[in-house]
Amino acid sequence: MNLLIERNAKDMSATAARLVARQVLTQPRSVLALPTGDTPRGMYDVLVGLEQGGLLDLSGVCAFNLDEYLGLPEDDPRSFRSYMLKHLWERLAAPPAHRYIPMSNPADEQAECTAYDEAMRRAGGVELMVLGIGPNGHIGFNEPGTPWALGTHFVALAEVTRRKEAARFGGLANVPRWGISMGIRTIMRSGQIVLLASGEGKAEVLARALLGPVTTEVPASVLQLHPRLTVVVDRPAAGALTTP
Ligand code: PGA
């Protein structure tokens, strides 16, 4: 594992964007997997800046999103599709021609999971995956207890995951109860993984994920087994990784 501890969230974002940019500059047709959430927003800002500066061209990449809510209209501003449009795709002069996000309202949920796995397989598999980590150690929407062998699947969202989004949805009752997510199997088969964490609130779960036992109870702990994992964090998130 490669651990990069940056001074603050801004530096974490710049480092994360550099890792993505390096991948795309050397392989313009890379297959990427991308997260949503508060943590990667700064990384997307930096990537947009690199494109606007003429340094980076993302038009050739094939991009898959990690997860999506189930049951929200796709154009709902809180869907992950809307997030990606707002924070990345619509800001690029030349967005990737191939972009995939699980459907939030599929007619057949199982068929959508199978189709998503098939699209990743056809693309040749994910080469670089960027992940955030949830307060309970989830990656994507793989909540604690999720078996490692799953491909794309639908999930009942954990209470803590839903509570974190309550303000954005105007109350816990309005937060979707279900999501659709790439599975741990797919995550672990990607060529390279970049895990991001920012802020004191992630310190304890990050330490459990990186230093504790590998267990389905802390989904991110499985990343300890990945041969090419780079963890990029700011100092507050790294706060529990060392003993004083
Ligand atoms: P966050 O979400 O970046 O908004 O903290 C991460 C996650 O829950 O996976």
Side-chain angles (χ1 to χ4, degrees):
M1 176 199 319
N2 209 351
L3 173 64
L4 304 175
I5 301 175
E6 304 294 351
R7 195 189 328 223
N8 52 37
K10 189 162 178 271
D11 290 354
M12 177 204 71
S13 301
T15 297
R18 260 200 304 276
L19 294 172
V20 174
R22 194 180 299 163
Q23 171 73 30
V24 176
L25 285 167
T26 49
Q27 287 183 56
R29 298 192 166 276
S30 292
V31 181
L32 306 179
L34 298 172
T36 50
D38 292 330
T39 315
R41 285 220 307 258
M43 175 186 78
Y44 293 135
D45 289 342
V46 177
L47 288 173
V48 168
L50 290 174
E51 201 227 26
Q52 287 171 350
L55 190 63
L56 188 66
D57 177 3
L58 288 162
S59 65
V61 310
C62 182
F64 289 89
N65 262 81
L66 274 167
D67 48 13
E68 178 59 285
Y69 290 115
L70 270 181
L72 273 188
E74 274 179 9
D75 58 356
D76 187 292
R78 296 156 305 188
S79 75
F80 293 165
R81 182 175 299 271
S82 297
Y83 173 105
M84 288 307 291
L85 286 167
K86 177 171 170 203
H87 294 292
L88 189 60
W89 309 136
E90 283 180 350
R91 300 166 71 195
L92 296 172
H98 302 289
R99 314 192 293 260
Y100 298 87
I101 300 180
M103 286 172 71
S104 53
N105 259 315
D108 178 338
E109 288 157 10
Q110 190 51 56
E112 172 62 11
C113 294
T114 307
Y116 208 65
D117 284 337
E118 176 59 17
M120 281 188 279
R121 198 192 58 74
R122 268 203 320 273
V126 174
E127 291 167 287
L128 174 67
M129 175 170 297
V130 183
L131 294 172
I133 180 170
N136 58 359
H138 78 196
I139 42 179
F141 273 149
N142 292 283
E143 303 286 19
T146 306
W148 285 325
L150 292 184
T152 302
H153 57 287
F154 38 95
V155 292
L157 300 180
E159 168 92 13
V160 62
T161 300
R162 295 181 62 245
R163 252 191 280 122
K164 183 164 161 283
E165 300 305 320
R168 218 189 303 264
F169 281 86
L172 182 62
N174 302 325
V175 182
R177 293 180 178 276
W178 291 85
I180 177 168
S181 180
M182 278 186 199
I184 302 277
R185 189 183 64 192
T186 310
I187 291 173
M188 291 301 282
R189 284 184 184 174
S190 45
Q192 201 189 145
I193 295 178
V194 175
L195 175 69
L196 306 180
S198 169
E200 207 180 343
K202 296 289 171 69
E204 196 239 334
V205 74
L206 190 72
R208 279 201 290 141
L210 301 183
L211 306 176
V214 174
T215 163
T216 54
E217 288 314 308
V218 184
S221 67
V222 75
L223 301 175
Q224 292 179 35
L225 304 179
H226 195 279
R228 291 186 70 201
L229 169 68
T230 303
V231 182
V232 189
V233 298
D234 60 13
R235 277 192 196 149
L241 292 179
T242 49
T243 45

